[in-house]
């Protein structure tokens, strides 16, 4: 039986019972509208911990003006059924009022790592993510927390925040789960029309090609990103926001040759929908 908690007090009560009996706790933070990508995180958390908390919260502080906060898809009954099926111990589904004081005055600012890639068009996004994730860490006090590589910049930023603020939590990165045609699964894929959905496959095609070039020894970042742009340019519905190769260490563009672990990431608008995809590559492997 999965417990449903709407308040911080209910979560703390369950957590202290688990702690008293020596249980380990895994946390999977999500914004809901759960799919197989989220389920893979929950499954891994269930394998590696005695108890698993899934949070479902469309976090207002990570949405900028004009973004899709109001229209973000929501289906709590479906999400709960998925969590029950995955044998999560508790689903935390707070209201924004439960999590945020109206006069809250504490913020988190992620410098440097939030400046490139998605941070350029979403300047407050990662500070909002860090704030809500830090709060969830303090509420749930997990041993491990699970994040998808789908949001690679977010994963690297959360690892940095945990290091910098000394959270005693292991951050576990999980692989990208894809549709049959290899489009990365995303709650936002639901915004796509049939024509747009067909066009969206170009993102993963560009990623696969970039990955192939990097693994076959191409070490010039702009040769890789240009080849990826050429693929994206063939799809008339694809409006490219960025295609970048950055250091996994500081998320700054690689200058010269690739000789350290990199993140190659892209963001593309298909119609009104902004989609992202990426790969990690380590030339020393
Ligand atoms: P979201 O609900 O979009 O905030 O995502 C919650 C968590 O699920 C984040 O850590 C995401 O990176 C992860 N996630 C979302 N989509 C996928 C996917 N296709 N594969 C793996 N993880 C994912």
């Amino acid at each position: 039986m999965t417990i449903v908690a709407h308040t911080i007090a209910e979560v703390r009560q369950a957590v202290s019972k688990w702690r008293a009996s020596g249980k380990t706790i895994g946390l999977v933070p999500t914004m809901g509208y759960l799919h197989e990508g989220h389920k893979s995180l929950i499954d891994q958390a269930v394998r590696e911990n005695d108890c698993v908390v899934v949070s479902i919260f469309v976090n207002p502080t990570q949405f900028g003006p004009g973004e899709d906060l109001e229209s973000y898809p929501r289906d709590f009954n479906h999400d709960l059924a998925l969590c029950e099926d995955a044998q999560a111990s508790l689903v935390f589904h707070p209201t924004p009022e439960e999590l945020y004081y109206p006069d809250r005055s504490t913020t988190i600012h992620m410098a440097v790592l939030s400046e490139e890639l998605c941070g350029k068009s979403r300047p407050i996004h990662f500070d909002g993510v860090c704030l809500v994730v830090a709060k969830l860490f303090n509420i749930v006090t997990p041993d491990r927390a699970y994040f998808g590589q789908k949001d690679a910049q977010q994963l690297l930023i959360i690892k940095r925040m945990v290091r910098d603020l000394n959270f005693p939590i292991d951050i576990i990165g999980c692989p990208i789960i894809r549709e049959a045609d290899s489009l990365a699964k995303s709650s936002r894929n639901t915004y796509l029309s049939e024509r747009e959905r067909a066009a969206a496959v170009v993102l993963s095609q560009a990623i696969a090609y970039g990955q192939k070039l990097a693994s076959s020894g191409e070490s010039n970042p702009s040769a890789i990103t240009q080849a990826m742009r050429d693929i994206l340019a063939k799809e008339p519905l694809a409006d490219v926001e960025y295609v970048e190769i950055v250091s996994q260490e500081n998320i700054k563009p690689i200058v010269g040759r690739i000789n350290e672990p990199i993140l190659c990431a892209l963001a593309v608008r298909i119609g009104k929908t902004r989609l992202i995809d990426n790969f990690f590559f380590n030339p020393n492997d």
Side-chain angles (χ1 to χ4, degrees):
M1 257 301 275
T2 303
I3 303 168
V4 177
H6 294 284
T7 65
I8 295 166
E10 289 168 290
V11 178
R12 288 203 197 281
Q13 195 183 15
V15 166
S16 54
K17 268 196 199 151
W18 296 334
R19 287 286 178 218
S21 50
K23 299 216 153 84
T24 58
I25 301 172
L27 169 67
V28 183
T30 82
M31 298 206 298
Y33 214 70
L34 304 181
H35 51 65
E36 288 296 317
H38 300 108
K39 175 126 185 324
S40 73
L41 270 57
I42 303 170
D43 287 343
Q44 187 169 343
V46 166
R47 285 196 296 275
E48 297 177 354
N49 301 274
D50 299 319
C51 299
V52 169
V53 174
V54 179
S55 61
I56 296 178
F57 181 63
V58 181
N59 173 39
T61 66
Q62 70 190 66
F63 286 78
E67 291 186 355
D68 55 347
L69 173 61
E70 274 80 34
S71 59
Y72 196 84
R74 293 161 168 89
D75 185 349
F76 182 69
N77 290 337
H78 160 85
D79 291 348
L80 180 57
L82 185 144
C83 291
E84 278 172 342
D85 184 48
Q87 300 187 322
S89 319
L90 186 146
V91 169
F92 180 37
H93 185 46
T95 59
E97 295 72 31
E98 175 68 11
L99 227 47
Y100 288 114
Y101 290 95
D103 63 345
R104 68 193 167 80
S105 18
T106 308
T107 56
I108 297 184
H109 175 56
M110 177 59 53
V112 184
L113 281 75
S114 65
E115 287 167 2
E116 306 289 330
L117 309 182
C118 293
K120 278 194 177 151
S121 65
R122 309 188 73 191
I124 63 148
H125 175 68
F126 292 111
D127 288 0
V129 169
C130 285
L131 183 62
V132 78
V133 169
K135 286 165 72 70
L136 290 168
F137 285 175
N138 284 328
I139 293 164
V140 179
T141 64
D143 300 282
R144 300 180 192 85
Y146 295 79
F147 292 87
Q149 191 203 310
K150 160 83 194 331
D151 300 280
Q153 188 172 15
Q154 167 175 284
L155 171 61
L156 296 173
I157 282 176
I158 297 296
K159 284 186 174 167
R160 179 59 60 95
M161 178 183 77
V162 160
R163 187 200 75 174
D164 288 352
L165 298 184
N166 308 96
F167 281 105
I169 300 171
D170 281 341
I171 301 304
I172 317 285
C174 304
I176 303 176
I177 303 298
R178 297 177 178 279
E179 302 285 356
D181 67 355
S182 88
L183 173 67
K185 287 192 185 252
S186 166
S187 308
R188 289 190 169 101
N189 291 350
T190 165
Y191 296 151
L192 300 168
S193 70
E194 208 175 318
R195 170 73 187 89
E196 290 168 345
R197 171 64 188 80
V201 73
V202 75
L203 277 84
S204 53
Q205 287 170 346
I207 286 294
Y209 192 63
Q211 194 159 21
K212 193 172 122 193
L213 285 179
S215 356
S216 58
E218 177 56 77
S219 65
N220 176 356
S222 40
I224 298 174
T225 51
Q226 188 54 53
M228 294 170 69
R229 283 176 189 280
D230 291 345
I231 291 176
L232 294 165
K234 289 191 191 129
E235 173 48 66
L237 292 189
D239 179 11
V240 177
E241 183 181 305
Y242 67 77
V243 183
E244 299 268 5
I245 293 186
V246 297
S247 155
Q248 281 183 34
E249 184 62 28
N250 55 17
I251 316 196
K252 288 292 171 195
I254 298 284
V255 184
R257 301 273 148 189
I258 298 173
N259 57 11
E260 63 177 299
I262 55 126
L263 162 64
C264 176
L266 54 78
V268 175
R269 267 177 211 284
I270 303 281
K272 288 198 167 76
T273 308
R274 184 177 176 281
L275 299 174
I276 56 174
D277 203 343
N278 69 82
F279 67 90
F280 284 135
F281 176 72
N282 183 350
N284 309 314
D285 277 350

